[in-house]
Amino acid sequence: VQLRYTWAISDDVTIIKSGDEFGKLEVVNATQKKLILNNNDNFSLDPKSTKHIIGKIDFKIADSDELRFYPFIAINSFPPPPLAAWPGIAKWNLYENYTLALIAIDAKSSPRQAWLQLSKDDYVIEDLVVRTGDTYWYNGTQHEIFSAKIEVVFKGTTTDLVRLTDVYQYSETNGSLLINNNTHSFTHGSPDRQDWEIYENYNFSLVDIDARVTPRQAWLQLSKNNVTVMDSVVVSGDCFSYRPNTTIFRACVGDIFQGMNNAGSKLVTLEDVYQYSEINGSVLINNATYLFMPEEAAPLETAELEENYTLSLIDIDARATPREAWLQISNGTYKSNAIVHDGERYTDGALEIVIGSVFYGKKSTNLVQFSSVRQYSANGTLILNQSMLLADQYPNGEIWALHENYALNPREIDAHVYPRQVWFTLLKNGTPVYDTVMRSKQVYTYYNGSMKVFTAKIDSVFAGATTDMVQLREIKQYSELDGGEFADLPAWYPVHLTYGYDIAAKQINWRTIALQLSKNNRIIDEGIFSDTFMLEDSDNQITVSGSLNSHNITQYYNDMEVLNLTNVTLKAGYSKKTLTISPRSLKISITSPIHRLQRNPITFASSVIGGTPPYSYNWTSTINNHIGSTDTFSRNLLDGSHTITARVTDSKGVTVTDSIVISSYNKLRGDVNSDTQITSADAAIVLQIAVGSSLCDSKTLAVADVSEDGKVTSLDALMILQ
C-alpha cells in the first residue's frame, strides 16, 4: 500500500500570538497567512561567525566585506536511504548506476497494476504503482532524469509482461540525453507458446493469455527466422497488423478462451487472416481463419450422434462473460472446434446446435445443456432432433421423493454466475427422465408427452460455505394416470373427514383462506373464502361446508349429514420446499418404492449424498433378509409387511441407514371376494367401496385398484366387468 500527502499532527499544539518571544525574536504579527518576528535586542553579525537565533535555527555570516548571511538548521546525521531489498522479477540497468525493476504484478486488479522500483547504487529512490496508460517521471535536483509511458501490464498463466514506451533518460551531471524514445519490455516466466508456421519463414505465435482481466488479453508475437519482428497484447476485436513498409501480415482476434480443466487449455480464434509476400506482394494467405489450441485435449464428455458423428465437450471457460464452452464435432475423419456461449445458435455442416446453458458447478462440474441438436443426412433429411446434456460428473443433492415413483434431484449449484443456476434432474423409478439448468424466479415444468406432471417456481438459490440450498414455491404434481393434482405437496396440515376425504388450508392472507378438498391425496375441489365455505365432490355426492370464523365443518353424503366437527382450526401448510445440495455428512434416502402397498416385481432405488465415494450398499428385508447390493435394483418379495433397510458405507468406513415399511400383497388384482375368480360380484363390491358404503383397507385397495391410480372408483368396477 502506497501513501502520499501524509500529515502527522501533534497532540501538543503551540498557539502563536503577537507578543510571544522565541529566543531573540518576538512575534509582532501572527495571522493565518503570515508570521512576522522581530529581534528585541541587537546582536552583531560578525564576518565568518554563527549566531544562534531560535531553537535549531542559526545565522551563518559570510567572510567578506559585503554583509551576506543566511539561516540554516544543523542536522548532525541523515538516515541512509533504504537498500533495494526486493530482488524483483525483472530488472533494467540504466545509465549512471540507475536501475528500474519490476517487483510484482497485481494479478487480481482490473485494470492491471505493476509495482516498479527505481534505485541508484542499489539504494531505493522511489517505489511506484502504475497502470496501463500511466506516464512516470522522476526529477532530480536540477532537471528530469527519467520518464516512460506504461503501454501494457499483462499477467498471463505462465508469463508476466510490462512494456514501456517513450522512454527517456537524462544525465544528472550535465543533462545530456542518454536514452532517446526507446521501448523496453519486462518479461518473466516460461511461456507455453503455440506456434503457427506461415510462409517465407514467418512464425505467428500465441505467447500467453491473461484471462483474469476485463477485457481478456492475448499476447501475440510475429517472428521471422526466430527473430521477433513485432509483438502486441490484444483484446477480442483487435487486429494485429505488421507493415514495415507495406502490409505483410494481418489477423483479427475473435474469442480468447481460458479453460478450467485441461492443462494449457488456451484458445484464440483468428479471423480475416492475410499474408502477402515481401518479395513480390502476392497473396499467400487470403481471408483465412485459424485457431490457436493445445495439440492434445481429452474430452470431458462425448455424445454419439447419427452417421458416426460425435459431439464432445472439451472444456468450459467459467471466467468469461457470458460463459463459454469449447465443443468439438467429429465425423470420424474430420474434427472441427467451436467456442460457444449461452443462447448461441451454432451450425457446422450437418449439425445445428442451440446452446441452452453453460454451467460450472461448485463441485467443479462441467456441463453444457443443448436446447436443440439437429442433424441432417447428406441428402438433407433430418435424422436427429432432440435436446441434450453433456456433463463430466453427476453429483447428487437431497433427493425429494414425489408421487408415482418420481423424485427430484437438485444435483449442483453454479455459484460463479449471476443469477445463480441450479441443475435439476427429475427421476422416475430411479432413472433420469428430465435434466435442465434453471435460474432463480424461473419455473421448472416437466411434461410426459402432452401431460403436465410436475411444476415448481425456483424461489431462491443459495450457495453457502459448506451447504447449498434451493427453495421451491408454487409446487404442483399431477398424476400420469388421470391428470389429477396431488394434494400433499410439499407439506400440509389436513383435517381428516370420513370416507377418506381431507380438507386443508393451502394459503392464508389477512382476509382470505384457500381451502382444498381431497381424497386419497387427490384434489377434488378448491376455493378461496373469507368465512363461510362449501366444497363438493359431485361425482360421489359429497359436500363439505362450514364457517372459518365459527370453526365448524359439516360433511354431507347425498344431502345427509355424516360428520359434524366443532372447534376446528385450519392451519396453513408450508408454501415452499427447501432442498439442500451439498450437506457435509453422509446420508442415504430410499427414493423407491414410495407407496406402502406394493406388488411384485418391486423397484428399489436410493440416493446418497455427502461422505466420501465410492459407496457400498446392503439392502435387507425383515422377511426376505438380504435383497440387494446396489443403489438400484428390482426383485420379488414374499407376501407380508416388510421393513426395508438400505445401508450405505463410504470409503472412510462411515455407515448410515434409511428404512421404510411396505406391504407386499400379490393376490390377483380384481379378485376382491377372494374366490380366485374375477366376476360381477367383485365389481359390485368395488362400486360399494367407490361410493363410500364399504370400508377399504390397504390390502383391499391393492386388489380393488385395478386401474392402479391409487384409489377405488367406478372405473375399477367397469374394468372388472370388461
Side-chain angles (χ1 to χ4, degrees), residues 31-42:
T31 68
Q32 292 284 351
K33 295 184 178 181
K34 63 181 178 179
L35 182 65
I36 300 176
L37 298 92
N38 288 346
N39 55 305
N40 289 331
D41 300 322
N42 295 330

Side-chain angles (χ1 to χ4, degrees), residues 36-51:
I36 300 176
L37 298 92
N38 288 346
N39 55 305
N40 289 331
D41 300 322
N42 295 330
F43 52 89
S44 175
L45 299 179
D46 300 324
K48 199 179 179 180
S49 66
T50 300
K51 299 295 183 179

Side-chain angles (χ1 to χ4, degrees), residues 328-369:
Q328 193 172 84
I329 299 168
S330 173
N331 62 3
T333 57
Y334 169 76
K335 290 182 180 179
S336 63
N337 296 273
I339 306 298
V340 297
H341 55 76
D342 290 0
E344 183 175 352
R345 182 183 297 273
Y346 176 74
T347 301
D348 186 336
L351 290 182
E352 292 180 359
I353 299 170
V354 178
I355 310 301
S357 181
V358 179
F359 181 98
Y360 185 72
K362 285 185 65 180
K363 303 171 187 175
S364 299
T365 300
N366 298 270
L367 179 151
V368 175
Q369 178 192 0

Side-chain angles (χ1 to χ4, degrees), residues 75 77-82:
I75 298 177
S77 63
F78 289 92

